[in-house]
Amino acid sequence: MSLAEAQIQRYSRHILLPQVGGKGQEKLLGAAVLIAFAPEGAGAASCAAVYLAAAGVGRIGWRRVSSPEEGVAKEEGSLAGLVSLYHPEGEAASLAALNPDARLEVVAEPEAGEDSEAAAGGWDLALLSGGGTRLAALARIFLAAGRPLLRGVRRGWSGAVLAGEAAAEEDDMDDFSPAEDEELLPPASPEGVLGAMLASSALGALLGKDEETVGSTALARFDLSRGRFWAAAR
């Protein structure tokens, strides 16, 4: 595809970036990313969706995944409504108002026994936020289909972006948890930080910058209580 004049103006700053350029922007406009999230991951998912839409990702799937093994659904993150901020008529209209090139598709949670082709078909990348057995099952479906996979996990003030097989496992965040007597930094939004990290990693994968999304690794971690941030070399 080629960029229209209005799109060249809209993405002029992106096109000037050597990491993106005109060809990269065309690739983003033709990309399809599925965002699936458990209740506790709604804030980071919402933030990531807004960043991806602003970047010009053309098709964004929006799939809420329940967590029956938790008994009672956890409270959604403080940023969970961000994706609906730009238009009063709902999520799809909101992202279209933010960027008319971005199309959000609400994906219904399927019945049990979903096959790999049905879940992974048509998506270039899966971006998962939160935990639980249903998200883990969805992660394994994408791995079996050979599709790139990212997952964001958060424990209080700490978080990480996991790629590939690591995204299908429960991550040990103990080494990023603050000590009980440690003074915390001023209030911040872990959901916002994690959502931005997820979006950044997703864009890198779509542009061919992050080959590790098919492997098994932690691309980035943070601990806001200690002011610590670590990202894998790219």
Side-chain angles (χ1 to χ4, degrees):
M1 65 176 294
S2 58
L3 298 175
E5 183 176 349
Q7 291 174 322
I8 293 175
Q9 295 179 0
R10 181 176 300 131
Y11 304 115
S12 58
R13 294 183 180 181
H14 303 175
I15 294 171
L16 290 174
L17 293 173
Q19 301 92 331
V20 182
K23 293 296 183 182
Q25 189 62 58
E26 291 175 8
K27 184 180 292 187
L28 292 179
L29 286 166
V33 176
L34 175 65
I35 299 178
F37 58 94
E40 77 278 5
S46 184
C47 185
V50 169
Y51 276 115
L52 293 181
V57 173
R59 181 170 169 242
I60 301 172
W62 187 246
R63 176 171 169 172
R64 294 179 175 86
V65 177
S66 60
S67 302
E69 71 279 359
E70 299 290 346
V72 178
K74 298 179 181 178
E75 183 179 355
E76 295 186 354
S78 60
L79 298 180
L82 185 62
V83 77
S84 300
L85 180 64
Y86 301 93
H87 198 284
E89 293 186 6
E91 296 150 348
S94 188
L95 285 197
L98 172 65
N99 185 348
D101 290 329
R103 184 173 77 257
L104 184 137
E105 300 177 8
V106 177
V107 180
E109 190 167 351
E111 300 294 331
E114 178 181 34
D115 58 60
S116 300
E117 190 63 31
W123 302 106
D124 300 312
L125 171 71
L127 192 160
L128 312 182
S129 179
T133 57
R134 290 192 175 178
L135 268 187
L138 184 59
R140 289 191 290 271
I141 287 174
F142 270 80
L143 287 176
R147 302 295 174 83
L149 174 67
L150 295 168
R151 182 166 71 96
V153 293
R154 186 172 67 85
R155 303 287 187 275
W157 293 77
S158 305
V161 174
L162 309 176
E165 293 179 1
E169 303 173 356
E170 290 296 325
D171 186 58
D172 184 3
M173 301 292 293
D174 290 343
D175 60 332
F176 279 81
S177 299
E180 292 184 2
D181 59 349
E182 186 170 4
E183 183 178 357
L184 299 180
L185 295 178
S189 172
E191 301 103 318
V193 174
L194 183 56
M197 288 166 47
L198 275 169
S200 175
S201 298
L203 293 173
L206 293 172
L207 292 169
K209 308 298 182 183
D210 287 335
E211 300 297 332
E212 290 174 319
T213 51
V214 183
S216 177
T217 187
L219 294 180
R221 291 177 181 266
F222 69 89
D223 183 346
L224 296 182
S225 68
R226 302 179 184 179
R228 294 173 58 192
F229 179 85
W230 173 86
R234 301 184 184 179

